[in-house]
Amino acid sequence: MLGKLKSLLGGGGKAKDSGTKGLPKTLTKEHEQQILQGGTPGERHALALREDARPEVLYYLAEDASPEVRKAIAQNPATPIQAAEKLISDDDEEVRQELARKIGRLVPGLAPGEQTALREKAIKVLETLAADQLPKVRAIVADEIKSSDQVPKDLIDRLARDVEAIVCGPILQYSPLLNDDDLREIIAAGVSEGALKAIASRSNLPAEISDDVAATLDVPAIAALLANASAQIREDTLDQIIDHATSIEALHEPLALRPQLSIRAMKRIAGFVASALVHAMMEQAKLPEDQAEDLLERVRDRLSEERVGDDEEAKLAARALEYFQKGMLDDKFVHEQIEANRRELLLQCLAVMADLPAATVRQIIHSKSGRAVTALAWKANLGMRTAYELQTRYALVPTAQLLSAKDGNKYPIDENELDWHLSYFVEQA
């Protein structure tokens, strides 16, 4: 084959600045022949990267014994499509992956009718790679063409139904060639968790498809649907999701943070999600003060009724004391407990930190007084920023009663007043 190649080689060209070392800036036929006949693997690799190398040279190197050389040929934008046709069945998976990446980028840029012969050959290469036995290769093809409307529809249909989520996911989430009927058919046929989640994440998802996603009761997909701000979700569908989500914590946050919730939906959600999420839901909705207070009151009533048994309370109190003795109780710890909705453990920890009875701490938390909760945080040696978190996300203090920091992080009232607010509850104990 080398002899045949020699007869095909013509004059040299000027190189682009490819950054390859060991080769002259301008290639000539003689340089190429020397490398092909007796060059080192490094020299052949450098030649394979050169965009000014002749097509015949690149074609010949597509059968090089070195996988690194063949991979460079697969990457090279100047490699002729005939060489790509050789590489689609290469034994080295990395060679096929690089080829999939390059051809996947090439085909969407070749509009129908433009360089017809090249497009047809490139599509055939792409279709072969899209059927590769290795999911990584198929996934690269899918990722490269996911947003294109200039690829064959049957290719998109095949990738959309691939059994591997890393392959079908990008197509299902982004491809403009999939219509609503396609998506509904795919859902009805039964798809993997990752595939359903990808559909739920599509931009501007219509209500009918949202209905189909919700009907599957697939938690990750429903969470993705709720987080998809552009997805249309009917009120009755949202009601069904809320019913389903009551005992499924993974749906609490996406539900609470769903944009443009009705006040009715917010009241239902506030009936079971963590207090920190209720606060986040209210902040996002920017509720009027009267509606916000009504919502908070409902949550306070629920929380006041949620009590652990005496044995569990004793265990949590012992754990809080252990944490205190180990020096674990600080601002960071408090933030973590608020985030994780460990309300009773946090209450017991605050009691130990402030050296107050747990019953007194419970009264303060349920008091709706921003000053009292701030005083508790001060007694527990916590920062004012943590005190504000305790007010808003843990104790659900009404907006009008919140006590904000001074200069961003300082307590806004002096120690005498803080102590006075605490003394009221201590005396009531």
Side-chain angles (χ1 to χ4, degrees):
M1 182 175 177
L2 184 58
K4 181 180 179 182
L5 179 64
K6 289 179 185 177
S7 67
L8 293 173
L9 291 173
K14 289 193 175 180
K16 297 180 182 179
D17 187 7
S18 64
T20 57
K21 297 179 180 180
L23 298 185
K25 187 173 182 180
T26 301
L27 283 175
T28 65
K29 178 177 65 176
E30 288 73 22
H31 293 141
E32 292 173 333
Q33 288 177 329
Q34 289 170 6
I35 294 169
L36 293 177
Q37 290 174 342
T40 65
E43 289 173 330
R44 297 199 309 277
H45 181 262
L47 179 58
L49 291 171
R50 292 288 288 257
E51 294 183 34
D52 60 326
R54 288 171 195 25
E56 296 90 342
V57 172
L58 299 176
Y59 180 82
Y60 179 78
L61 288 173
E63 292 184 339
D64 194 272
S66 167
E68 290 302 314
V69 172
R70 301 197 307 276
K71 188 161 67 170
I73 291 296
Q75 294 171 326
N76 193 332
T79 296
I81 196 65
Q82 292 83 355
E85 291 171 331
K86 284 186 176 184
L87 295 173
I88 54 177
S89 56
D90 196 282
D91 291 337
D92 191 287
E93 63 184 54
E94 290 187 5
V95 172
R96 303 198 309 277
Q97 288 177 45
E98 290 301 331
L99 184 64
R101 190 169 286 111
K102 185 180 73 173
I103 300 297
R105 291 171 183 169
L106 171 67
V107 170
L110 297 173
E114 178 185 344
Q115 303 182 51
T116 304
L118 173 60
R119 175 178 166 80
E120 289 177 356
K121 288 184 177 182
I123 287 174
K124 285 182 180 178
V125 170
L126 194 63
E127 287 175 339
T128 303
L129 292 167
D132 194 279
Q133 63 180 357
L134 190 69
K136 285 182 181 178
V137 175
R138 305 197 305 273
I140 290 171
V141 172
D143 193 60
E144 292 296 341
I145 68 173
K146 63 188 178 185
S147 300
S148 175
D149 59 0
Q150 297 295 324
V151 293
K153 176 67 161 54
D154 59 347
L155 176 58
I156 291 295
D157 288 337
R158 187 197 317 163
L159 291 170
R161 289 165 172 79
D162 197 284
V163 296
E164 298 288 345
I166 59 170
V167 179
C168 65
I171 299 296
L172 292 172
Q173 183 171 353
Y174 296 106
S175 179
L177 296 179
L178 293 175
N179 58 40
D180 294 352
D181 289 339
D182 292 329
L183 295 170
R184 300 194 72 181
E185 181 184 323
I186 289 170
I187 295 172
V191 293
S192 67
E193 175 184 297
L196 197 59
K197 184 177 178 182
I199 293 173
S201 302
R202 278 180 75 92
S203 180
N204 300 311
L205 200 69
E208 292 78 12
I209 299 178
S210 295
D211 292 346
D212 292 345
V213 171
T216 66
L217 300 183
D218 184 279
V219 172
I222 294 174
L225 177 67
L226 292 167
N228 183 353
S230 68
Q232 299 174 33
I233 304 178
R234 284 190 259 258
E235 194 71 21
D236 58 346
T237 301
L238 187 63
D239 280 340
Q240 293 170 16
I241 293 174
I242 293 173
D243 291 339
H244 179 53
T246 304
S247 58
I248 301 176
E249 192 172 343
L251 293 178
H252 290 188
E253 183 173 348
L255 252 181
L257 299 182
R258 173 73 188 169
Q260 299 179 331
L261 289 169
S262 68
I263 186 64
R264 173 178 163 277
M266 282 191 273
K267 286 178 179 179
R268 293 195 64 200
I269 294 166
F272 57 86
V273 302
S275 56
L277 286 176
V278 174
H279 177 72
M281 181 170 63
M282 288 170 41
E283 277 198 328
Q284 178 173 269
K286 295 182 171 58
L287 291 178
E289 191 170 327
D290 58 335
Q291 290 185 343
E293 179 53 27
D294 180 52
L295 196 63
L296 289 177
E297 192 61 37
R298 289 168 179 262
V299 181
R300 289 190 209 101
D301 290 344
R302 168 171 66 90
L303 295 176
S304 65
E305 295 172 1
E306 291 180 358
R307 292 290 300 276
V308 298
D310 292 341
D311 290 345
E312 182 65 19
E313 185 173 351
K315 289 179 183 178
L316 292 174
R319 192 188 305 173
L321 182 59
E322 179 187 351
Y323 290 163
F324 179 75
Q325 291 170 342
K326 290 181 177 179
M328 296 170 59
L329 304 186
D330 55 14
D331 290 85
K332 180 182 177 182
F333 180 90
V334 171
H335 283 283
E336 289 173 350
Q337 306 319 301
I338 293 173
E339 199 66 41
N341 196 36
R342 301 188 186 103
R343 293 188 60 83
E344 188 63 29
L345 175 60
L346 178 53
L347 187 145
Q348 297 296 334
C349 290
L350 290 170
V352 174
M353 296 166 76
D355 194 21
L356 292 171
T360 300
V361 174
R362 199 179 303 279
Q363 280 187 312
I364 293 172
I365 294 302
H366 292 156
S367 69
K368 301 191 289 187
S369 168
R371 290 173 181 267
V373 175
T374 300
L376 172 64
W378 165 75
K379 190 72 163 56
N381 291 314
L382 295 167
M384 183 57 205
R385 288 180 179 172
T386 305
Y388 192 78
E389 286 283 297
L390 285 170
Q391 291 179 77
T392 55
R393 304 179 67 203
Y394 183 62
L396 298 177
V397 172
T399 304
Q401 301 298 322
L402 289 174
L403 196 63
S404 298
K406 178 183 178 183
D407 299 329
N409 60 1
K410 297 178 182 176
Y411 278 87
I413 53 179
D414 61 32
E415 294 186 1
N416 289 332
E417 187 174 350
L418 289 165
D419 193 52
W420 181 85
H421 284 291
L422 274 181
S423 66
Y424 171 81
F425 290 92
V426 172
E427 290 169 4
Q428 297 295 317

